[in-house]
Amino acid sequence: MEHHSDRAFAARVFREEAEREGFARCGIARAGTPHGFERFRSWIEGGLQAGMGYLRDTMEARSHPDQILAGARSVICLAAPHPAGASRPADGTTVARYASGPDYHRTLREGAVRMAESAARRLDAPFTWRVCVDSTPIAERSFAAASGLGWIGKNGCLIDPSLGSFFLLAEIVTDLDLPPDDPIAERCGSCVRCLDACPTGAIVEDGIVDANRCLAYWTIEHRGEIPPAIAEAVGDRVFGCDDCQDACPWNAPLHDRSGAVAPTRAEWLGLGRGEFRRRYGQTALNRAGWRGLQRNAAIGAGCAADPADRVSLESAAGAGDRGLAGAARWALGRVPTRTDASGIGSARANVTGSEAR
């Protein structure tokens, strides 16, 4: 694979196989430290990763693909569109769009493996490769930006002019020396819609999100109790938060939420462990875990203050899981009893009647 024509042919083979596997984008970056990685290093050193200590532990490895694959020379970056988001149930609970459908870790990995295997059969030069999807320590957004798949927007998401930011990433690290693609220019301009939309002000500067404030972190990654100040902002979110992406004009044509209807708060709170495993064990929702999702639903019940949730919350308050029990107790302090609620309604009716008279 010494001649440029050979390298260009190999790159074309990978692109063709990527398209065959249904990937929307394929770009190639060099396997050296990607441009802009210092921003990630500063983010870690500033403690903005919150409780995700594994990011600090793997920080250096993420910029050195040769620690993933000895002799790595190229990173083939792949993008797959999110599935249609789950439709909201009657109580308005929301699940991040990317978590709809089968677990992307499995589906993207399987597609990238098939792609690499097909490319290997077509190329006559021996090479080694490794597929990475999310959990492998690699700076995937930085490499994807370096490969021309998009630019890193003000909300920290990778943005492609056609796909917006509603897509998932996978990588094939290889010892092949492939011609790299050129990055594309940042096109957010003066737009600050994502900053304005963030319910907790977590976007502290362009491209920098403080996970200590981010509702996606608290509802997916965090284990245990959620602080009251954060709980107040959780609202109807059971898993993740798409607010900054929903506000992005690059995503304007892409707000499809025609998937299966998400469960209501009551359904989440009443979900048994076995039923959770059966329905969601092979989805991205498993990242938050059974009790984590119930904790988030309990907090949502507190934010909604619907008396209909009291019975479920009273049961959850006695759970052995500290995060769920704490969330249920917090919510019970905000949810009126049915008697209280009817009293409030009667008082309002009396006031309205006296004013009418």
Side-chain angles (χ1 to χ4, degrees):
M1 199 68 60
E2 294 296 329
H3 301 293
H4 178 75
S5 58
D6 295 334
R7 296 167 62 224
F9 172 72
R12 187 170 74 249
V13 165
F14 278 106
R15 295 185 203 283
E16 290 171 354
E17 294 303 326
E19 184 176 3
R20 196 188 312 276
E21 283 298 330
F23 289 104
R25 296 285 185 275
C26 176
I28 298 170
R30 297 193 186 281
T33 301
H35 175 73
F37 186 75
E38 281 303 314
R39 174 177 286 187
F40 177 76
R41 193 191 308 277
S42 298
W43 183 76
I44 292 290
E45 291 173 350
L48 301 186
Q49 80 280 18
M52 296 179 285
Y54 62 88
L55 293 177
R56 174 179 286 277
D57 296 341
T58 60
M59 179 173 66
E60 294 306 325
R62 289 175 183 274
S63 65
H64 295 88
D66 57 357
Q67 295 190 28
I68 295 172
L69 179 77
R73 302 179 76 181
S74 302
V75 180
I76 302 165
C77 300
L78 305 165
H82 286 185
S87 299
R88 295 188 179 190
D91 67 359
T93 54
T94 59
V95 169
R97 176 172 165 152
Y98 81 86
S100 300
D103 188 355
Y104 67 93
H105 294 88
R106 176 177 58 83
T107 57
L108 266 64
R109 181 177 298 279
E110 290 174 350
V113 167
R114 287 192 300 266
M115 172 186 158
E117 290 174 342
S118 296
R121 287 192 293 269
R122 293 177 59 184
L123 298 174
D124 58 6
F127 67 95
T128 59
W129 52 270
R130 180 178 175 183
V131 168
C132 307
V133 181
D134 194 19
S135 57
T136 307
I138 185 171
E140 58 179 7
R141 276 180 296 177
S142 296
F143 281 108
S147 76
L149 292 193
W151 69 91
I152 296 178
K154 292 180 180 178
N155 61 358
C157 294
L158 193 74
I159 301 175
D160 171 88
S162 298
L163 298 176
S165 60
F166 286 136
F167 59 91
L168 299 161
L169 296 173
E171 300 78 39
I172 300 173
V173 180
T174 178
D175 61 355
L176 287 175
D177 182 17
L178 303 174
D181 293 302
D182 294 325
I184 63 176
E186 181 270 328
R187 294 170 64 181
C188 288
S190 60
C191 178
V192 292
R193 293 185 193 178
C194 60
L195 281 76
D196 293 340
C198 181
T200 57
I203 306 173
V204 293
E205 60 180 274
D206 290 357
I208 301 294
V209 178
D210 183 356
N212 297 287
R213 306 186 203 178
C214 180
L215 296 179
Y217 163 75
W218 286 105
T219 58
I220 299 174
E221 296 290 328
H222 179 71
R223 300 295 178 262
E225 296 188 57
I226 292 181
I230 296 294
E232 295 276 354
V234 168
D236 56 14
R237 301 169 184 83
V238 176
F239 182 95
C241 177
D242 285 339
D243 284 19
C244 66
Q245 296 188 84
D246 286 338
C248 178
W250 291 101
N251 286 328
L254 306 169
H255 289 288
D256 182 22
R257 281 192 173 269
S258 58
V261 179
T264 62
R265 285 186 296 273
E267 288 171 337
W268 284 119
L269 289 167
L271 193 66
R273 183 192 296 271
E275 181 69 2
F276 169 78
R277 288 177 176 172
R278 186 183 69 80
R279 293 176 61 180
Y280 303 112
Q282 299 300 314
T283 72
L285 293 172
N286 195 46
R287 177 68 177 176
W290 171 49
R291 289 307 202 190
L293 291 165
Q294 290 189 317
R295 173 202 63 191
N296 301 339
I299 289 174
C303 292
D306 185 348
D309 292 321
R310 277 199 72 90
V311 173
S312 297
L313 290 171
E314 287 166 355
S315 176
D321 181 85
R322 198 173 81 179
L324 172 57
R329 289 192 297 268
W330 176 84
L332 285 168
R334 299 167 59 95
V335 176
T337 65
R338 289 187 181 274
T339 302
D340 292 339
S342 61
I344 292 170
S346 298
R348 287 176 177 163
N350 289 335
V351 169
T352 304
S354 65
E355 288 174 346
R357 286 191 296 271

